[in-house]
Amino acid sequence: MGSGGISSLLNISKSSLFAQTQAIRVIGDNIANANVEGYSRRRANIETLTTSADANSISLGSGVNVRTISRLVDKFLSSQIHSATSDRAKSEIRDELLSRAEGPFSLEDTVGQIGFQLSEFFSSLDDLSADPANMSLRQNVIEQGASLSQAIQSSYESIASLQREADNRIGLVIGEVNSMTADIAELNTQISTLEISEQEALALRDKRDQLLKELSEKLSINSVENGDGTVLVSLSNGFTLVNGSSARALDFTASPSFAPVSGYPPGLDNSALRHIVYDYDSSSTTEHIDLTSVIGTAGGELGGLLSLRGIQSDTDTSAFDASGDLVLIGARIEAVARDLLVRFNQTYLGPVDEDPVTAGFQASSVDLNGNNPSPFGLFTVAGASDDDADGLPSIADLQASTSFVGYASAISFNISDPANIAAAIDLDTATSGSTPFGDADNTNIRNLVAQRNVETNYSVGAFSATATLEDLYNTTVTYVGSQASSAATNLAINTTREEQVLALQQNTSGVSLDEEFAQLIKFQRAYEGSARMIQVGDNLLQELVRLLG
């Protein structure tokens, strides 16, 4: 072997030393970051250097080189992780809020809950029907009526409060989304600038992937990598959130430019529900595009919050028209309140009295003082009046004389004096101004007790049903319980699915210390072999010098 051959041997061995050293450094980096969230395992891609021919035209290799260091990632699994993460995050927020919504609707009779207080109220009426002149029993009716009103108010307000909390949390999440998309756009810029050769910007890509995963927790996204290394992030309808170095910031507004002329109805608490929008023309006139529905019907924390809070449409006319779980629960409570305010009050007024003292309907029921009750004589809300002067309580009367979105939020029992409870019916329907009744007349109370088993058609917003008053509440308990149970089941399923996909990703991108140490031994042995080859080359060169010397 001539000096040229020895030189080639030394160069090949030197290149191997450098390559094995870099490979060992990559393994060391993997081991050091084994427990760092978002870190993707690296691999040194070693390639054979271009071969050359010696004097005898024999083709020989010229060593090795680390061409690139790459991350071990599966883009298909990354997409699956985004989807699984979005589904789990949506289930998580729904489970949290629905379990809290379940609080006022116990399956067991509990003091202060609507079902218990309904039963107590009807029992008090039943007791009074046996002795209609008894002041203690009359006082008990007043107390139970007030307790029932308070239970309805409390249950409704708890649901309205959850809806407002969901709306406020949506605003906070939108801020987080805007921060993440801006960071992703900035990372796109850095990556496209640094990746001018085949070598990837490894740490920056890991950071961007982690941000994309965190973003998928907030809302459902699609992400596609462009040829320059940047990613395009969009919603399911194709609306672009991030494109290259540009990010679109979302707004959350109660005054969208696309609102109907009359505006959108308020929420259950009489405050506006906001819309997720993007302003295409923020420099001059506002030009919003509505993204509420596309985000609300998809996954992520935002999807869960919107599906609970309710999504409004241009045809909505009341707070109970929005599409959402909390809205449906609120509508069921409102149906109980409206039934007491209208149908129950109409029953309390008694049959139509032909006594022509006043025009229109006149109550035939009378209290101990011989007085007829007003249309909202038993249950009422502040300011309620017989707006159309027909002597009958109605929702139209309430809408004209009060400003409440949900009458369940303000219902009260209208009687404080036991003597004012109208237990009797006017025995003389012909004589003007005459309201005689028997000393033990309980006709009106018995009419009220009978309402316990009367089936009625209920309709509030998107909710409708035919049931008795108590059955209406019982089905509400069942509905809330089933929704909460379904949310808990979905959370368990989607959490398991996410864990399975993350485990698959871990097999590809995660650091296995056993595997890394096995690779370390392999590259260490290659390094030791290359060092021995250099020693062999040195010995040959020394021998050649001695022979020629």
Side-chain angles (χ1 to χ4, degrees), residues 35-199:
N35 296 316
V36 175
E37 184 178 5
Y39 178 84
S40 298
R41 182 160 56 105
R42 276 55 160 154
R43 179 177 63 192
N45 299 308
I46 300 176
E47 65 177 1
T48 301
L49 292 175
T50 306
T51 58
S52 60
D54 65 4
N56 296 318
S57 298
I58 298 176
S59 182
L60 299 173
S62 56
V64 294
N65 180 49
V66 176
R67 180 172 59 86
T68 59
I69 299 173
S70 60
R71 302 180 309 143
L72 297 180
V73 295
D74 187 320
K75 293 182 179 179
F76 174 76
L77 278 179
S78 295
S79 176
Q80 292 297 302
I81 287 172
H82 294 165
S83 175
T85 299
S86 290
D87 291 343
R88 187 266 307 156
K90 180 175 184 176
S91 299
E92 195 167 56
I93 193 66
R94 284 180 57 80
D95 176 65
E96 176 192 339
L97 292 187
L98 283 173
S99 64
R100 289 166 58 188
E102 198 176 13
F105 304 97
S106 173
L107 290 173
E108 300 177 356
D109 286 339
T110 305
V111 176
Q113 294 190 344
I114 296 175
F116 178 84
Q117 299 306 151
L118 265 175
S119 179
E120 291 294 295
F121 177 64
F122 278 114
S123 294
S124 71
L125 290 174
D126 197 33
D127 291 342
L128 182 59
S129 70
D131 188 3
N134 188 305
M135 286 298 176
S136 295
L137 295 179
R138 285 170 168 263
Q139 182 62 40
N140 187 43
V141 170
I142 292 173
E143 292 174 358
Q144 297 304 328
S147 295
L148 174 57
S149 299
Q150 182 56 46
I152 293 171
Q153 279 193 44
S154 177
S155 297
Y156 179 87
E157 288 170 358
S158 69
I159 299 302
S161 177
L162 281 176
Q163 186 191 49
R164 182 54 49 194
E165 178 184 333
D167 190 78
N168 291 334
R169 288 172 72 161
I170 291 168
L172 295 175
V173 176
I174 289 295
E176 295 174 359
V177 167
N178 289 338
S179 176
M180 290 179 189
T181 54
D183 288 345
I184 291 170
E186 175 60 27
L187 286 170
N188 274 344
T189 300
Q190 296 177 25
I191 289 170
S192 63
T193 301
L194 291 174
E195 292 185 350
I196 55 178
S197 62
E198 291 185 72
Q199 181 57 51

Side-chain angles (χ1 to χ4, degrees), residues 367-389:
D367 61 24
L368 289 179
N369 299 316
N371 297 318
N372 301 126
S374 62
F376 292 98
L378 200 59
F379 290 93
T380 189
V381 294
S385 65
D386 183 16
D387 184 72
D388 55 13

Side-chain angles (χ1 to χ4, degrees), residues 173-355:
V173 176
I174 289 295
E176 295 174 359
V177 167
N178 289 338
S179 176
M180 290 179 189
T181 54
D183 288 345
I184 291 170
E186 175 60 27
L187 286 170
N188 274 344
T189 300
Q190 296 177 25
I191 289 170
S192 63
T193 301
L194 291 174
E195 292 185 350
I196 55 178
S197 62
E198 291 185 72
Q199 181 57 51
E200 295 179 339
L202 304 176
L204 294 178
R205 281 179 171 266
D206 276 352
K207 186 175 181 180
R208 187 177 65 185
D209 283 354
Q210 184 64 19
L211 273 174
L212 287 170
K213 180 178 181 297
E214 292 173 4
L215 182 61
S216 68
E217 280 194 287
K218 307 304 176 184
L219 74 172
S220 290
I221 59 170
N222 297 317
S223 62
V224 178
E225 184 171 332
N226 299 316
D228 60 356
T230 63
V231 293
L232 185 147
V233 183
S234 62
L235 301 178
S236 60
N237 67 342
F239 179 83
T240 301
L241 292 173
V242 180
N243 187 11
S245 60
S246 176
R248 287 173 167 172
L250 303 179
D251 291 326
F252 194 45
T253 178
S255 303
S257 62
F258 48 78
V261 175
S262 58
Y264 287 103
L268 299 177
D269 63 353
N270 204 26
S271 296
L273 296 181
R274 291 172 286 179
H275 293 254
I276 303 175
V277 301
Y278 175 72
D279 188 358
Y280 272 112
D281 191 14
S282 58
S283 60
S284 55
T285 58
T286 301
E287 188 179 342
H288 290 146
I289 177 175
D290 190 7
L291 300 172
T292 311
S293 292
V294 68
I295 293 175
T297 53
E301 188 175 352
L302 285 178
L305 288 169
L306 285 167
S307 69
L308 289 164
R309 187 209 69 173
I311 301 172
Q312 296 176 316
S313 70
D314 293 346
T315 58
D316 289 356
T317 58
S318 80
F320 303 101
D321 290 328
S323 175
D325 295 280
L326 295 178
V327 178
L328 281 173
I329 297 172
R332 289 168 179 267
I333 303 171
E334 178 70 4
V336 173
R338 292 187 183 188
D339 191 53
L340 294 174
L341 288 166
V342 178
R343 185 181 66 87
F344 212 75
N345 272 339
Q346 288 179 1
T347 302
Y348 179 65
L349 291 174
V352 174
D353 193 341
E354 300 302 329
D355 187 351

